[in-house]
Each structure stands twice: as C-alpha cells, then as structure tokens.
Amino acid sequence: MTRLEATVEPLDTEWARLYLGGKGLLFRYLFEELAPGTDALAPENPLILASGPFAGTAAATCSRLAVGCKSPATGTLLDSYVGGSFAPELKYAGYDVVVVTGRAPHPVLVLIEDERVDFLPAEGRFWGLETAALEQKVREEMGPWHKVLSTGPAGENLVPFACLSTDQYHKAGRGGGGAVMGSKNLKAVVVRGTGAVAVGDAGAFARDMLALQNERILTADNAWTYEEGTPFLVDLVNAAGALPTRNWRSGQFEEAGSIDSAQLLKVRTKIRACTQCPLACRQVHQFGEHVSEGPEFETLGLCGANCGVGDLAAIAAFNRACDEVGLDTMSTGAVVALAMDLCEKGAADYGLAFGDTAAYLAAPGLIAAREGWGAELALGARDLAALKGRPELAPHIKGLELPAYDPRGTFGMGLSYATSDRGACHMRAFTAADDILGGEAPADSLEGKPQLVADQQDFSALAWTGVWCANMYLDTDFIGAHLRHLWGRDVTQEEMMTTGARIWNLGRLLNLREGFGRDQDRLPAILDVPHPDGAAAGKTVSAEALRAALDEYYRLRGWDEDGVPTEETLARLSLDVRL
Ligand code: SF4
C-alpha cells in the first residue's frame, strides 16, 4: 500500500498441503509476515484475505472468506469469517490469498479485475461513505458483478471493533479488521473475476457434491436455518439462564418473548443465501419502511437483552446503524450495555439507561464518528471500564467482548472462551450445544469439558479452512468427502484432526509470540458474581475449577503447564515453525 504496488506470486503448495486454506493458510502467512510486537494499527500489520480451496466450486456453503491480522481489539491474532459472494469472485479472478501490507499515502480503493490490480483515489469519492452507499456506488460505476469488501466510517476512524462488510449485510464482525483496513488508508477491496476454478474430475466432483447436498445438507437437522435462523436460540438460551441481561447481571431476560424468532417470523419477508448455499439462513425482516437482514441471535442477545431492550424494532434499527457504519454488533451491544451500567452506578453520564432506546439508537453513529460520549465508548469495553475506574464491570477476555452465552449457565463455554485464540469467542468450541441445547453434558460442571473443548477447537480449525459454514452440522465424513477431491485420495479422520490441531497450535504460537499465555487464559471478574435469578442462579465457574480444567486441557494438548506446546507436540503435528 505504501508504494501502491501489487505483486503476484504462486501459492506455496507445501503450505497449502499443511494448512489447506482459510484459517490455516491465513495463520501461516500471518506467522511469516507479522513481526513480533508490531502495533495492530501500524502499516506493518498485514491484512490477509484467504479463501478456501472449494470457494467458487459446486461445494455448498464454502463461499466464505477468512480475514485476518493482528487484532487492534486484543493484540492477539485475529481470524474472522464472512459469507456472501466475495470469496468465489476472488477465486474467479485467480487468487487464493491477498496480503495487504503498508499504508497508502492517501485513501484508496483497490480494484482487482482478473490479473489487473489498480489503486483508485478514494478521497471525495468513496472515503467516508457508509457501507451500503459504497457498494451501490461501486456497482453504479464499475458494474453489477463487482464484489466489495469494505470498511465503514468506524474503521476509517480506527474504532477497535470496526468490522469488514460485503454484500451489505455480511460482516467479518469480530476483532477490528475494519480498523486495520482503515489504518492502511484502504476503503475497500473490489474484485471482479471472469475465470473459473478447476476441480480435476468435474463430473465426479459434481455428483459427490449433489449427493452431499441431498443427504447431508438439506436434512431435518439443518431445517432450522431457513425456517427460523439463529433467532431460534433466544428462548433456549434464556431458559438455560445463559442470556446476558443488563450487562451480565442476569441470565434471564423477562422480555425474551418479545425478541425471539416467533416475533421475527411475523415480520419476515423472505430468506436469502450466500453464493452456492441451499440453506438460505439469511432472514430478511421489515420494520415499518425499513427492510434489512437480521438481527441474528448474538445481536438479539447483546444489543437486546443485555441492554434491557425488548423492542424488536429498536434492536433492528440499532443493528442497521451498526451495519451502515461498519461496527461489530456484538462488541457494540456489549459496550453500550456496559455504558448503561456505568451511568446507573454514577460512574458516567452519557444519558444511557437500560431499556431506554433514545440514546441507545444514537450510539452506533457517535461511536463510529468518535463524537461526544461515543468517543469514550469507542475504546471498547475493557478500556472504557478501566477509564471509569470500574474494570470489574467489563465483559471481555483478552479485550474481546463476550458472546451471548453466559458461562454461568453453560460452564463449558467458560473454558471455551478462556482458551479461544482470538479472545472471547463462541465459534471455536461451542460446548453450549452439548450442555444447554439438547446434549447430555452437565451445564454446571467442567468435568469432561477440556477434552470436548480441545476436540471442538481442532475440528473448527479444520472446518474454517474450507471455509465451511458453521450453520449446519459438520463432521469429518462430510469434510473428507471434499478433501478426497483436493488430494486425489481418501483422507483419514486422523489426518484431518491432525491438520486441525496443527492449525490450532500454530495459532497458539502466534499468540505466545505476542505475549499471550496462561495468565491471559482466564475469565473476567464480572462472571464471578452469581445470577440472582433464572436457571443458573447462584452458579459461577470458580477460579479453582477453571485452573484444574486448564491443567487438564494443556495436558491433553501436549502443552506444558504454562500453555506452551512442547517440542514433541510440534514435531508430532509436523508444524514447520518454532517460537
Ligand atoms: S447457512 Fe447461511 S450463512 Fe451459512 S453459507 Fe448458507 S446462507 Fe450463508
């Protein structure tokens, strides 16, 4: 970006063999390109876009892009995922991975049209536009098939929880990728490809993919995706006492029935899909004159219950505002709820109050612009709570705000969050499925959870190479049926899980290199206070229980007691890097 130059190099086939694509390749490039200790907003922090090997093919749900860098929210590695249609277009243009380094001397938009790469001046033309307006302008000026991955005003202003946007409603939400794009004076990457993706024996591949679609994807187990989408979780998580309510004071929201999927279905107008996905989980709703996708479960939990807001139209408007300015709804909802709490406790005077939607609806715009009290909220929960002298009220791990599954109602998620590679994340090991959503594991115990968490993390690391979508039931049989075509032979379950473990351990090395070890694998103080009501009343994950679970987790992983992978573990996983 500094020299406004692009170079093209062949994919490192050894890296592709070891790390496949998506998350794995992203981590490998990040390990290579990121000098230890680099500031996340410095030009030297690479912003990496990595597709999976099946993007742009007949494989379903693989049209997803992995986006990564060092996170400005946490200082850890960041990998975040987005659907829509950008990743296939990147493949049609001929690229698997894009690595953006440096900082442009002035705002630009990078335009990739097959082998041609241009740097278009963005000042007065694209810079400053909200996400939907930007996409519309690009389509008008360049054509309807150009795909856009952009940062909004929040990212231009370096808000550490600014997201990246594509196809208007699709977000690589977590960890501040939008701020890293903004720090490079880069408004958007726009891509148009006219090529295709070769798949070897195309007939056999198409037959296998069709069979998987009929037998494994369009099944009763996955019907929830198009019937209700993620909002179906609201009632289940609330019943388990795990729905964060009023800055995590409770796990049960008395107005949950006003913001659940039954209410959303009343205003649903249609469903949409990412490219090449038969599940079409994207729920489109109409509130008054506004039609938009979402809110998803996490937004309903964190921008609804956690802010004491039971007004569905207000949550949808908050969601839209975040989408337009390019803010992660999860972190924004968490920060606004914290600010409401600070106001109630007399530690701040923002005019915010639980359940009051007036100032609440102004928050996304003020945060994105860093105006008025929005400038303080733009610090993120950890730094805002510290600024106000109430660090114990901040719901975060390693600087990333907690997702909408309260560990007091689902203990396994506590271990999952504490050991997640990018800070508090529910997408690495989703043990809530085992202890509150129909599984048989006890919700209020960490017994057996270290193995469950480690296995699920390894599996998710494998799945995010594809990049398969988490919104359907995945297993190694399903993934193996794809990899058979990639490697030209049958692939064992052990090979696949070893690949996942290799990627997870590479992520651990990256974080250790940035100074994150055992001391940071912990839960925030706000979770030490038991709920007064709900199904999880009186329960907390004790420090002793978490310590014992971490010991067991490290042992199972082949890490020492400080959480450092042993030489034997790295050799067993054929990891080709060392600290
Ligand atoms: S299930 Fe939903 S999010 Fe996942 S690929 Fe399909 S449409 Fe996209």
Side-chain angles (χ1 to χ4, degrees):
M1 296 300 293
T2 307
R3 295 192 302 272
L4 300 182
E5 284 176 12
T7 57
V8 180
E9 57 189 60
L11 184 67
D12 185 316
T13 51
E14 179 61 5
W15 287 7
R17 186 183 71 79
L18 287 170
Y19 301 102
L20 287 176
K23 178 170 182 138
L25 265 185
L26 192 162
F27 280 9
R28 190 62 187 84
Y29 275 95
L30 194 58
F31 198 93
E32 200 71 14
E33 298 281 338
L34 178 71
T38 301
D39 187 285
L41 296 177
E44 292 77 19
N45 185 19
L47 179 66
I48 302 171
L49 321 180
S51 64
F54 304 101
T57 73
T61 86
C62 293
S63 302
R64 302 180 65 77
L65 185 76
V67 184
C69 52
K70 179 173 176 175
S71 163
T74 63
T76 65
L77 60 81
L78 171 65
D79 57 316
S80 191
Y81 300 84
V82 63
S85 54
F86 187 92
E89 199 70 25
L90 192 63
K91 293 292 281 273
Y92 299 150
Y95 306 98
D96 295 291
V97 179
V98 176
V99 182
V100 185
T101 58
R103 175 181 294 142
H106 52 79
V108 298
L109 180 148
V110 169
L111 174 62
I112 302 171
E113 290 175 323
D114 294 323
E115 68 277 2
R116 204 173 113 223
V117 181
D118 282 334
F119 298 82
L120 308 182
E123 195 91 73
R125 187 176 173 200
F126 303 114
W127 197 254
L129 289 181
E130 294 188 340
T131 58
L134 174 75
E135 289 194 14
Q136 189 177 344
K137 190 169 176 63
V138 167
R139 279 195 295 272
E140 285 170 3
E141 292 192 10
M142 301 177 195
W145 301 108
H146 284 65
K147 308 300 181 187
V148 182
L149 183 76
S150 71
T151 190
E156 294 174 18
N157 291 322
L158 309 182
V159 175
F161 44 101
C163 64
L164 291 163
S165 305
T166 189
D167 292 341
Q168 191 165 347
Y169 300 112
H170 296 253
K171 310 289 171 178
R174 307 238 66 195
V180 174
M181 183 177 272
S183 76
K184 299 188 175 308
N185 265 336
L186 174 59
K187 179 62 180 174
V189 177
V190 176
V191 63
R192 173 73 177 120
T194 59
V197 182
V199 292
D201 186 341
F205 183 73
R207 277 192 298 279
D208 277 3
M209 293 304 111
L210 187 60
L212 286 176
Q213 178 164 309
N214 291 332
E215 293 159 20
R216 291 294 312 273
I217 299 176
L218 290 172
T219 63
D221 281 353
N222 292 327
W224 65 268
T225 53
Y226 50 84
E227 287 178 349
E228 297 180 69
T230 58
F232 89 97
L233 289 162
V234 169
D235 292 332
L236 292 172
V237 178
N238 193 52
L243 190 67
T245 300
R246 295 185 180 82
N247 198 32
W248 300 83
R249 289 182 197 175
S250 174
Q252 184 172 290
F253 185 42
E254 68 281 5
E255 295 181 66
S258 302
I259 62 170
D260 64 6
S261 66
Q263 302 305 318
L264 280 163
L265 285 173
K266 293 177 186 170
V267 290
R268 186 173 79 174
T269 57
K270 58 182 166 184
I271 53 176
R272 282 187 186 145
C274 301
T275 299
Q276 192 63 22
C277 177
L279 289 175
C281 78
R282 317 287 304 184
Q283 313 280 317
V284 181
H285 303 109
Q286 176 142 21
F287 291 94
E289 63 192 38
H290 298 289
V291 177
S292 55
E293 278 188 28
E296 301 279 355
F297 164 71
E298 294 290 340
T299 307
L300 292 163
L302 292 163
C303 307
N306 203 36
C307 293
V309 173
D311 177 344
L312 205 44
I315 299 169
F318 188 95
N319 190 159
R320 274 198 309 277
C322 289
D323 283 354
E324 291 294 348
V325 297
L327 283 172
D328 172 23
T329 57
M330 293 172 65
S331 289
T332 308
V335 169
V336 170
L338 166 65
M340 290 171 166
D341 206 0
L342 291 168
C343 289
E344 191 172 294
K345 290 181 166 63
D349 184 18
Y350 304 134
L352 287 160
F354 290 118
D356 179 356
T357 57
Y360 161 88
L361 287 171
L366 291 175
I367 292 170
R370 291 182 180 268
E371 276 178 22
W373 47 262
E376 292 193 346
L377 272 64
L379 295 170
R382 177 189 54 196
D383 292 353
L384 172 63
L387 178 74
K388 296 299 177 185
R390 301 300 300 267
E392 77 283 5
L393 296 178
H396 79 96
I397 294 173
K398 301 182 179 81
L400 191 67
E401 290 78 11
L402 295 170
Y405 303 89
D406 190 321
R408 288 165 289 189
T410 162
F411 279 25
M413 292 307 290
L415 183 63
S416 170
Y417 293 162
T419 57
S420 160
D421 49 7
R422 65 174 186 180
C425 176
H426 62 295
M427 300 294 288
R428 302 299 182 259
F430 188 59
T431 59
D434 301 272
D435 54 26
I436 62 171
L437 301 178
E440 293 176 0
D444 58 355
S445 166
L446 285 175
E447 201 170 329
K449 303 294 169 64
Q451 185 76 63
L452 197 60
V453 167
D455 289 347
Q456 291 189 5
Q457 288 170 341
D458 288 351
F459 182 76
S460 74
L462 171 73
W464 303 165
T465 65
V467 180
W468 287 277
C469 180
N471 280 359
M472 66 170 173
Y473 179 71
L474 288 167
D475 60 20
T476 47
D477 283 347
F478 181 85
I479 290 177
H482 292 72
L483 295 184
R484 196 162 47 236
H485 290 275
L486 191 66
W487 287 346
R489 61 175 174 80
D490 286 338
V491 184
T492 66
Q493 182 178 23
E494 188 187 350
E495 274 181 284
M496 286 184 269
M497 292 306 288
T498 298
T499 300
R502 182 182 304 129
I503 295 165
W504 191 266
N505 277 266
L506 175 57
R508 184 70 179 184
L509 294 185
L510 266 162
N511 279 340
L512 285 164
R513 208 170 67 167
E514 296 300 326
F516 291 88
R518 178 165 191 141
D519 285 351
Q520 287 75 34
D521 290 348
R522 60 186 179 200
L523 295 174
I526 197 168
L527 299 179
D528 291 341
V529 183
H531 289 157
D533 53 17
K539 296 175 180 173
T540 59
V541 179
S542 72
E544 298 73 40
L546 184 64
R547 194 176 308 121
L550 269 183
D551 285 342
E552 173 71 356
Y553 170 86
Y554 290 169
R555 188 186 65 74
L556 290 165
R557 282 224 164 274
W559 297 353
D560 68 19
E561 60 185 22
D562 293 323
V564 180
T566 64
E567 180 58 38
E568 188 186 356
T569 297
L570 299 180
R572 175 172 54 80
L573 297 173
S574 304
L575 245 172
D576 59 342
V577 299
R578 295 292 183 272
L579 282 176

